[in-house]
Amino acid sequence: MSLKRLRLGCDVSMVVRVFAASSIGAVVLAAGLPAAEAAGKPISVDFVSGPLNDSFFPPLYKGAHDAAHDLGVKLNYIPIDESDIEASSAQTMQAAIAQHPDAIVVGDFIPNVVDPYIKQAVAAGIPVYVDQSGQDQWRADGAFGFVGQQGPQVGSAAAGYLAKDGSKNILCVINVPGNLYLQSICRGLSARATALDLKSEALELPTADSTDQAQVSRDIGAYLQSHRDVNGIFTENAAVGTAAVAALDAAGTGDRVHVGTMEISKIALQEIQNGKLTFLVNEQPYLDGYYAVLFAAQYVKYGLAPVGAVSTGPSIVDKTNIDKILTVFNSEPDIIGSR
């Protein structure tokens, strides 16, 4: 896999630094200045996260890019390959550790693979900040913080929204097999559905199908053919959400099945407007990327970090607030979602 790099650097005023440090909340105090600062070099952060052809990650990358620019950080974004996620998760963390940056930010998508490398980096003196996935393991791994959203809360919010719209049996679709974060979302959905006296089911797409939207639509359509009582669907990727809509259109059942999805894309926003999608769950990935670089830089420079996890979602987008989202989406590319 080709590892993509971005090297950025610029000066930043003390006003920006003080505002950024004070606007998040409680902090803890740790060690002093890093070697890079002492030598007059910019702080270096390696950011291991998802590929930019996945609709979730362009806003996350944009946030990381903007934070690096604002703070004068040298950023190296290293994307994993979702089609070979276990091997790629190991390879990208190995590459990050080998460069010995001042800090590593990582999406802990496959904990049994990534956790040992987080511990290895920490043991080597590289502070690690966990981003977007890994909310259950970051403390035990020795990371100094976490930013993102809690998977079970997402599932619970989705089940509650679909229940409000009349869904009685909800299908939760997992688009990356083996991803514990995505699985935890479906578990949260199931728990809330049970509490509301509803039924829920989960469909984990085959790895070979997960990046082929037409095949995903066929997979969902085939499942619905044999599970005709499903009248609510929640997917964990905007492209999968539109694939679910296509499956319902092909079957002629879109009028009786409500669909919600994680992530925001241009097509997903259009489908909210035309009633094909009921709602979107926005983790606000731009904030995932921006805060992760901000917190990493402040920890390296000052020894400061937020206490505990920082939540960026779930934030619900539906017809009640879509106008504001569309205004930003159309004027600020890749901050709200992928085009």
Side-chain angles (χ1 to χ4, degrees):
M1 184 186 73
S2 173
L3 301 182
K4 302 175 184 177
R5 299 183 179 181
L6 175 66
R7 296 292 184 180
L8 297 170
C10 71
D11 293 332
V12 63
S13 71
M14 182 59 70
V15 173
V16 172
R17 291 174 179 166
V18 171
F19 175 79
S22 63
S23 63
I24 302 304
V27 295
V28 293
L29 184 61
L33 293 179
E37 284 289 303
K41 298 177 181 178
I43 291 169
S44 60
V45 175
D46 276 18
F47 201 129
V48 179
S49 193
L52 301 184
N53 61 355
D54 182 313
S55 59
F56 179 87
F57 293 102
L60 181 145
Y61 173 78
K62 171 68 171 169
H65 173 286
D66 286 356
H69 179 273
D70 292 346
L71 299 168
V73 168
K74 185 185 293 184
L75 178 68
N76 179 25
Y77 188 90
I78 308 176
I80 62 169
D81 179 359
E82 286 183 325
S83 67
D84 190 14
I85 192 168
E86 293 198 10
S88 181
S89 293
Q91 292 162 2
T92 49
M93 278 299 287
Q94 289 167 354
I97 293 169
Q99 295 177 55
H100 207 91
D102 294 311
I104 293 173
V105 176
V106 60
D108 190 2
F109 304 114
I110 308 294
N112 65 306
V113 174
V114 177
D115 287 359
Y117 288 107
I118 294 176
K119 294 174 182 177
Q120 180 182 329
V122 172
I126 307 171
V128 177
Y129 194 74
V130 176
D131 177 85
Q132 202 259 316
S133 182
Q135 62 270 41
D136 296 328
Q137 300 86 230
W138 64 271
R139 290 184 189 275
D141 291 342
F144 67 89
F146 171 83
V147 61
Q149 66 182 6
Q150 306 294 317
Q153 292 177 2
V154 177
S156 179
Y161 200 107
L162 288 166
K164 182 185 69 174
D165 277 356
S167 296
K168 301 297 184 183
N169 187 6
I170 304 169
L171 174 65
C172 187
V173 182
I174 300 170
N175 57 290
V176 182
N179 187 311
L180 297 184
Y181 169 64
L182 299 183
Q183 291 171 348
S184 75
I185 292 171
C186 287
R187 287 198 301 273
L189 185 149
S190 177
R192 181 72 183 279
T194 298
L196 294 171
D197 199 26
L198 309 176
K199 294 172 61 180
S200 67
E201 308 169 27
L203 170 63
E204 193 159 310
L205 299 173
T207 301
D209 296 355
S210 60
T211 58
D212 182 338
Q213 191 165 353
Q215 184 58 49
V216 168
S217 184
R218 288 190 287 271
D219 290 344
I220 293 173
Y223 187 91
L224 295 176
Q225 281 291 321
S226 58
H227 299 77
R228 293 183 178 274
D229 60 337
V230 169
N231 61 352
I233 300 174
F234 183 67
T235 70
E236 300 171 332
N237 174 281
V240 177
T242 58
V245 168
L248 294 171
D249 285 346
T253 56
D255 58 338
R256 69 171 186 83
V257 182
H258 298 285
V259 182
T261 187
M262 282 171 57
E263 304 182 14
I264 292 178
S265 69
K266 183 175 183 178
I267 294 174
L269 289 171
Q270 291 171 343
E271 289 180 335
I272 289 287
Q273 289 181 300
N274 63 27
K276 296 286 189 178
L277 281 170
T278 304
F279 69 98
L280 310 174
V281 173
N282 185 13
E283 181 174 333
Q284 305 179 106
Y286 179 89
L287 297 183
D288 285 351
Y290 197 101
Y291 285 165
V293 172
L294 169 65
F295 298 155
Q298 290 182 337
Y299 187 83
V300 170
K301 189 174 180 67
Y302 304 121
L304 302 178
V307 174
V310 175
S311 295
T312 58
S315 174
I316 300 295
V317 176
D318 58 16
K319 284 190 173 181
T320 66
N321 60 357
I322 193 173
D323 290 343
K324 172 63 174 177
I325 296 296
L326 279 169
T327 298
V328 178
F329 185 89
N330 291 328
S331 62
E332 300 286 347
D334 285 338
I335 285 181
I336 293 293
S338 176
R339 291 183 180 276

